Amino acid sequence: MTQDLPLPGAVKAYPEPDAADVRELLLDWCGAEADDADDAVKALGALDPAARETADRLYQSIAADMGGRKWLGWPKPPEEHPLLGLYPLLAAVPDMLAFHRGRGIDEDLSRKVLADIGEKLRFNRRIHGRAGLDVANWFTGHLRGALHQLGRLQFCVEGPDPKPFVGMHIRGEGGPLTLDAVRDSVEWALEFFPTVFPERYDGPEDLVFMCESWLLDPQLRDWLPEHSNIPGFGALFDLQGPGDPAGNRSDLWRFVFGRPEDTPVEELPQDNTLQRSVMAGLKADVPWRNRFGRLNLSRLGL
């Protein structure tokens, strides 16, 4: 995968962040914890020449595709440098801000989209017990201007041109997934995307919203309480395809239980209703699945 990245400096000079840049961006823009900022500064100083070259090439891939769709395919960070992908992301913050300003996007929304980095650093520490960013490539959508946080939900330009569909994503720290919150976010997106990307969308009628998530698995309705927001969210979508018959262990372990995928079932936490409900399904051999669906706007009254 690394061989597919642009060469160092191929697009523009890599503005490698120094320790002060890393600390300021993480604390002031990304909402990261002090421990994660401290460890990121230490890890920056420990990068060897090969890692620094890789960081340069990762940055070049962002700079080469500002305004592009979805996120980029990056190699996984090497074990000895679990934060390697963070530094090209931070280096690209000025590029993202310039793109946002050119599209009339307020700084408040820029800050909200960057706050996802702080969340995932916290999440990574909870799962692995150390600083790291094992999903750094996910943020190439944020930094290239494809993904935006509009209220409770994230929306990303994902499908093929000329009128890409808009992917819907759910942050773990975003608050309750109520129907009112979802409706407000979708209403915002219907206005936002034709305004910000007029070359792609003539108006709200061009927007198709898609989501792929374990949250859309209709089997959850049989295991969660009636008052749970999750089945109500899933019911908003017209599902496409049956999902992977082998089930979806990785996302459940990560997003429901906050544990690495190799954690034995008997060691998974059962601290809340969601965890206990999914665990009951696991013990009953339910093949929990990611499902892919199209948002039915009429079910939101839109």
Side-chain angles (χ1 to χ4, degrees):
M1 180 68 74
T2 306
Q3 65 266 25
D4 297 330
L5 296 170
L7 294 175
V11 181
K12 59 190 294 189
Y14 171 45
E16 181 180 27
D18 60 20
D21 294 331
V22 169
R23 189 179 301 280
E24 178 186 0
L25 287 166
L26 287 178
L27 295 178
D28 296 345
W29 285 85
C30 301
E33 303 297 326
D35 286 350
D36 285 322
D38 290 343
D39 285 352
V41 168
K42 292 175 187 175
L44 176 67
L47 294 181
D48 54 39
R52 291 180 183 276
E53 178 178 307
T54 298
D56 186 336
R57 298 179 67 182
L58 293 172
Y59 170 78
Q60 300 302 323
S61 70
I62 294 175
D65 193 38
M66 291 300 298
R69 295 175 291 106
K70 209 173 178 180
W71 43 90
L72 301 174
W74 278 7
K76 290 186 177 181
E79 212 170 291
E80 64 273 21
H81 299 299
L83 284 166
L84 179 60
L86 174 64
Y87 307 113
L89 295 172
L90 296 179
V93 168
D95 300 276
M96 185 198 82
L97 293 176
F99 180 85
H100 283 189
R101 285 193 298 269
R103 298 278 172 152
I105 299 171
D106 293 337
E107 183 180 299
D108 180 57
L109 289 181
S110 302
R111 289 181 176 274
K112 284 180 180 177
V113 78
L114 289 174
D116 198 12
I117 294 178
E119 174 182 326
K120 294 306 187 292
L121 287 169
R122 286 187 287 276
F123 192 59
N124 204 108
R125 188 179 288 274
R126 286 200 303 273
I127 291 180
H128 300 293
R130 56 163 172 75
L133 197 63
D134 56 359
V135 292
N137 73 300
W138 158 246
F139 295 101
T140 60
H142 301 51
L143 273 298
R144 286 162 42 254
L147 185 143
H148 302 274
Q149 179 86 34
L150 305 176
R152 177 62 183 88
L153 301 174
Q154 295 173 328
F155 299 88
C156 186
V157 180
E158 292 182 27
D161 284 325
K163 296 187 186 300
F165 70 75
V166 177
M168 299 171 64
H169 303 275
I170 305 96
R171 277 185 59 189
E173 295 182 4
L177 194 62
T178 65
L179 291 184
D180 285 344
V182 172
R183 184 182 300 107
D184 290 345
S185 283
V186 172
E187 283 186 312
W188 193 347
L190 286 168
E191 177 184 355
F192 180 90
F193 280 88
T195 300
V196 173
F197 299 103
E199 73 280 12
R200 284 178 164 151
Y201 311 109
D202 293 330
E205 65 280 356
D206 285 341
L207 295 183
V208 173
F209 296 96
M210 308 295 295
C211 183
E212 182 176 10
S213 174
W214 61 273
L215 293 165
L216 270 58
D217 190 340
Q219 298 176 110
L220 288 165
R221 301 170 196 167
D222 299 328
W223 297 89
L224 288 169
E226 287 186 14
H227 64 268
S228 172
N229 291 321
I230 291 175
F233 178 75
L236 297 173
F237 293 84
D238 295 321
L239 299 180
Q240 300 183 2
D244 187 347
N248 174 37
R249 179 184 176 107
S250 60
D251 279 5
L252 289 177
W253 261 240
R254 182 177 182 88
F255 296 120
V256 175
F257 299 106
R259 294 293 186 271
E261 190 176 349
D262 58 0
T263 303
V265 171
E266 59 271 16
E267 295 180 14
L268 295 174
Q270 299 185 58
D271 300 329
N272 55 52
T273 300
L274 176 60
Q275 290 175 347
R276 290 189 290 271
S277 299
V278 172
M279 176 61 77
L282 288 173
K283 290 180 178 178
D285 295 325
V286 173
W288 297 118
R289 298 171 181 170
N290 269 22
R291 298 298 298 272
F292 185 69
R294 174 172 176 165
L295 180 67
N296 189 319
L297 291 171
S298 66
R299 293 176 193 160
L300 281 173
L302 299 175

